[in-house]
Amino acid sequence: MGSSFAAGPGIKPQLDKAASRSGRNYPHLVAEALDLDLTDVTYSGATTANILSEPQGDAPAQVDAVGPDTELVTVTVGGNDLDYIGIFLRGSTMNTLARPVGLFSKRLGNRIMARVSYLREQAEYDAVADRLVEIVNRIRASAPRSRILLVDYLTVAGPTTRPRLDVPLNEEQLPSVVMMAEGLAQAFANAAARSGAELVAASAASLDHGVGSAEPWTTGFGFRPGGGVGYHPNEAGMAAVADLVIQQLRTAD
């Protein structure tokens, strides 16, 4: 279960248009590799509320798919609670619009770029951790024998990422986006420690695979046919997360 970083928007084949769910997302790749029966309820745009209680489109709350026969659950959600990728996309859009405007009026260009705030309070990250713990508890209540893996978010922009055409943020904005990613990763780690769920730290494993790296696991700004939506996992990223999940399952068996 989870949001777009689990669903795989833009990665072919798309099995559910409304959910932007790929047949080559990491849940499908894990199920294929381990010969598991998969129920995939990932849905792009999902928040923790859509996991716990709120329908999304025609889809019920994702936790409703868990039952007493469920043996394994992977969870990637929380970024939309913080508007993490949304802020990244809006900032990139505003900067792209501001660039030609700034040629005529630097002041107006700066005003356009300043319309996006990249800051989040610690309480917001803590709230994500709290809701992840609640998700784990709800899963355990329905499936007491299941293994629960909290799979955090692949790195889009890491500490070494610099402004470029497909990451059109400046030297002041990029560190704030990186701080959001780090805060989200810490929320997952805190939730795993508090709930006893297993943590798959895709964020740490992908630090050298952000946009602009030699082998990126996420896409840059904009849409890339067949390669995923901007600032989201690409096919290589989904395969890498699947490998991390499989490694976790085999190591802890």
Side-chain angles (χ1 to χ4, degrees), residues 25-182:
N25 62 17
Y26 84 75
H28 276 83
L29 296 176
V30 170
E32 179 182 301
L34 301 181
D35 195 24
L36 304 175
D37 292 328
L38 173 67
T39 299
D40 186 358
V41 291
T42 57
Y43 205 111
S44 295
T47 65
T48 53
N50 298 126
I51 303 289
L52 291 165
S53 59
E54 294 182 9
Q56 195 174 7
D58 294 329
Q62 293 183 31
V63 77
D64 291 352
V66 177
D69 295 331
T70 302
E71 297 181 357
L72 171 66
V73 182
T74 60
V75 181
T76 302
V77 74
N80 290 321
D81 293 53
L82 299 167
D83 198 22
Y84 164 45
I85 296 299
I87 286 174
F88 208 161
L89 288 169
R90 286 196 301 279
S92 297
T93 299
M94 289 300 178
N95 281 17
T96 301
L97 294 173
R99 186 174 294 113
V101 173
L103 295 176
F104 300 96
S105 172
K106 185 176 180 179
R107 182 177 180 182
L108 181 56
N110 288 338
R111 286 179 61 187
I112 292 173
M113 289 190 293
R115 293 182 64 181
V116 179
S117 172
Y118 300 86
L119 301 178
R120 285 289 179 266
E121 300 292 334
Q122 182 58 46
E124 296 178 84
Y125 297 108
D126 293 342
V128 170
D130 290 343
R131 288 190 285 268
L132 287 170
V133 171
E134 185 177 354
I135 289 169
V136 172
N137 291 338
R138 287 282 300 278
I139 294 169
R140 283 212 181 98
S142 297
R145 296 189 301 275
S146 65
R147 289 184 67 173
I148 305 168
L149 275 58
L150 297 181
V151 184
D152 73 4
Y153 284 62
L154 283 171
T155 296
V156 178
T160 61
T161 303
R162 296 292 177 263
R164 41 185 287 136
L165 288 177
D166 51 1
V167 188
L169 300 185
N170 61 36
E171 294 282 2
E172 295 178 355
Q173 296 163 334
L174 268 171
S176 297
V177 173
V178 172
M179 285 178 62
M180 287 188 67
E182 291 172 347

